[in-house]
């Protein structure tokens, strides 16, 4: 195994309602299905890495409620090192009411709860474990100061950091994140951060290049059904989408990042990691749920073999 991955981020319990359509204001509608599952962008990315075979350390905060206890049990069941997932007294765990429409599109609300209590001091406390890691993953469902502190910590200790600026945060200070090795927004996050159009690969590349001019090294933009785009120095790479019929797109970005992290740490090669990430994310949206839809290494290998077999020989 090439190296351990640390995730500093959120844990949520996803409360997922599958709707025929969203109700209008003042309207009550019957929805066909409800499911509860483990979520949170940080935890999701950690689970994707672990399912693919990486050793993972999670640094997070949960509440002293049943959701917090279940989250810890989930990490144990997935083989994730959760020594640095602490419970906060008198605070609820994070929860995320999610609505999924018949075409698989999702709408998410988050109630951060204990995630707001993950502080810079928690990173320092986990310092010894972090020092041995090959990559640190960060998102924006914990306080910004914690994110900035983790990036500075990574730079000081020579541990590369991947920042996924999700959900979009208008106050994100680009000057304090430029030491992140990888910056992975989706189109709307990139639009919010740069104020530039990002509706297709060409416009997204122009917007990503302004971030490179600001000091970032690698910008990877996830383009949903259009694939993904990697921009770095003089290079641009468009990774074509894998065509599948979406059932539930919740957590697809997290599946992409977890898979990218795992394959990058294993291979050291960004192209290999991007291809695997887009395939893993595509497979994840063919099933319902967030973490529940993330394939194991064996299921992912079978999916990739199926893609290779269905392609005409050149
Ligand atoms: O990215 C999907 C995740 O966003 C969900 O699991 C939800 O918990 C929110 O954090």
């Amino acid at each position: 195994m090439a190296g351990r991955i640390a995730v500093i981020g959120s844990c949520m319990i996803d409360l997922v309602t599958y709707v025929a359509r969203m109700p209008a204001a003042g309207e009550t509608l019957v929805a066909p299905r409800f499911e509860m599952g483990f979520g949170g962008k940080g935890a999701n990315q950690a689970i994707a890495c672990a399912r693919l075979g990486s050793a993972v350390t999670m640094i997070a905060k949960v509440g002293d409620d049943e959701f917090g206890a279940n989250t810890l049990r989930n990490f144990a069941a997935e083989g994730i090192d959760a020594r640095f997932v602490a419970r906060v007294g008198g605070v609820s765990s994070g929860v995320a009411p999610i609505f999924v429409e018949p075409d698989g599109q999702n709408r998410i609300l988050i109630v951060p709860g204990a995630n707001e209590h993950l502080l810079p001091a928690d990173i320092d406390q986990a310092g010894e474990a972090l020092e041995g890691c090959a990559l640190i993953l960060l998102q924006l469902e914990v306080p910004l100061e914690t994110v900035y502190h983790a990036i500075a910590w990574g730079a000081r200790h020579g541990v590369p950091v991947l920042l996924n600026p999700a959900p979009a945060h208008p106050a994100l200070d680009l000057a304090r994140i430029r030491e992140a090795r990888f910056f992975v927004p989706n189109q709307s996050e990139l639009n919010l951060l740069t104020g530039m159009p990002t509706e297709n690969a060409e416009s997204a590349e122009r917007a990503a290049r302004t971030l490179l001019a600001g000091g970032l090294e690698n910008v990877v933009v996830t383009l949903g059904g259009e694939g993904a785009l990697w921009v770095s120095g003089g290079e641009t790479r468009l990774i074509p989408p894998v065509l599948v019929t979406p059932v539930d797109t919740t957590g697809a970005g997290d599946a992409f990042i977890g898979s990218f992290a795992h394959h990058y740490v294993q291979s050291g090669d960004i192209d290999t990691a991007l291809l695997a990430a887009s395939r893993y994310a595509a497979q994840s949206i063919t099933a319902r749920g967030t973490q529940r839809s993330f394939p194991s290494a064996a299921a992912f290998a079978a999916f990739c073999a199926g893609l290779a077999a269905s392609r005409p020989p050149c």
Side-chain angles (χ1 to χ4, degrees):
M1 200 176 288
R4 179 171 284 276
I5 295 171
V7 181
I8 301 172
S10 59
C11 304
M12 307 272 176
I13 294 295
D14 287 353
L15 311 169
V16 191
T17 304
Y18 293 89
V19 299
R21 67 169 173 84
M22 290 299 284
E27 184 185 23
T28 301
L29 271 182
V30 174
R33 188 182 188 107
F34 171 80
E35 280 174 22
M36 189 154 80
F38 296 104
K41 296 181 195 303
N44 294 345
Q45 293 173 19
I47 295 288
C49 293
R51 293 229 175 121
L52 285 166
S54 276
V56 181
T57 294
M58 183 79 201
I59 296 157
K61 289 277 169 76
V62 295
D64 63 349
D65 48 15
E66 198 50 34
F67 287 166
N70 288 342
T71 297
L72 285 167
R73 276 194 279 274
N74 185 44
F75 286 139
E78 299 278 352
I80 289 176
D81 166 21
R83 280 174 299 149
F84 302 102
V85 181
R87 304 188 72 178
V88 187
V91 178
S92 78
S93 291
V95 294
I98 298 177
F99 303 90
V100 179
E101 295 183 72
D103 64 357
Q105 283 309 316
N106 63 76
R107 287 159 207 269
I108 304 179
L109 286 166
I110 58 167
V111 184
N115 293 297
E116 298 275 30
H117 294 256
L118 189 69
L119 301 176
D122 297 310
I123 292 167
D124 297 337
Q125 222 169 356
E128 220 169 287
L130 284 172
E131 270 172 24
C133 288
L135 186 65
I136 295 173
L137 304 186
L138 291 165
Q139 319 74 30
L140 300 183
E141 287 181 334
V142 298
L144 276 184
E145 277 310 320
T146 306
V147 171
Y148 298 145
H149 188 80
I151 293 171
W153 191 99
R156 252 194 339 273
H157 293 83
V159 182
V161 170
L162 181 156
L163 173 60
N164 168 220
H169 200 312
L172 185 68
D173 182 353
L174 294 176
R176 297 183 74 184
I177 60 161
R178 63 163 71 107
E179 287 177 311
R181 165 95 43 101
F182 296 101
F183 187 68
V184 191
N186 66 17
Q187 282 162 289
S188 63
E189 290 148 6
L190 183 62
N191 167 261
L192 185 99
L193 286 166
T194 61
M196 294 175 68
T198 56
E199 71 287 350
N200 55 36
E202 292 72 37
S203 57
E205 180 184 350
R206 279 193 290 277
R209 289 218 167 270
T210 66
L211 298 179
L212 296 184
L216 282 164
E217 192 182 337
N218 293 284
V219 179
V220 177
V221 189
T222 53
L223 303 169
E226 304 302 312
L229 180 76
W230 170 41
V231 190
S232 177
E235 290 196 84
T236 299
R237 202 94 79 248
L238 184 62
I239 298 89
V242 180
L243 299 177
V244 293
T245 304
V247 171
D248 182 349
T249 58
T250 313
D254 301 327
F256 182 97
I257 288 166
S259 176
F260 176 85
H262 168 79
H263 289 97
Y264 176 69
V265 166
Q266 293 295 314
S267 68
D269 182 54
I270 297 180
D271 285 307
T272 303
L274 287 169
L275 184 66
S278 80
R279 290 177 169 182
Y280 192 79
Q283 190 179 6
S284 80
I285 67 173
T286 62
R288 261 198 299 270
T290 314
Q291 294 177 18
R292 199 172 283 147
S293 72
F294 293 177
S296 64
F300 181 52
F303 179 74
C304 292
L307 289 179
S310 64
R311 216 170 283 135
C314 16

